[in-house]
Amino acid sequence: MDETLMQAVNEAVSKRKSLKIQYRTDLNEFLTVTAMIKKVEEKEGAPVLELVTGEEIRFDHLVKVGDVASNQFISRDFTCDC
């Protein structure tokens, strides 16, 4: 598990602040929302974030929470060579 990303998630929950959350859907779509994380709970053996909107995001689908990126990506993944 990505401890740095989980720390960012837990910090966002405790501070109750909205932030940018980037994630992949089950269809491998890349989505970005700005929302507050209500809680993190275990479902089917994996952590799941529940946003205040009611939307649920599996932890392993997270790409970036605020300024903290998942360890599955490198910093070059977030730059544009336009």
Side-chain angles (χ1 to χ4, degrees), residues 41-48 58:
E41 61 185 8
E42 192 88 10
K43 287 192 176 180
E44 299 177 10
V48 175
R58 288 181 25 180

Side-chain angles (χ1 to χ4, degrees), residues 5 11 14 40 48 50 55 64 78:
L5 188 60
E11 182 178 319
S14 68
V40 179
V48 175
E50 182 181 341
E55 184 175 2
K64 196 171 184 183
F78 300 100

Side-chain angles (χ1 to χ4, degrees), residues 57-76:
I57 303 170
R58 288 181 25 180
F59 184 80
D60 62 343
H61 285 196
L62 287 177
V63 173
K64 196 171 184 183
V65 173
D67 294 327
V68 179
S70 167
N71 64 9
Q72 299 175 29
F73 301 91
I74 58 173
S75 60
R76 283 187 53 95

Side-chain angles (χ1 to χ4, degrees), residues 1 3 8 19 23 26-27 31 34 38 56 63 65 77 80:
M1 178 181 297
E3 296 297 328
L19 47 91
Y23 65 99
D26 290 333
L27 299 173
L31 299 178
T34 300
K38 182 177 179 182
E56 293 183 343
V63 173
V65 173
D77 292 331
C80 178

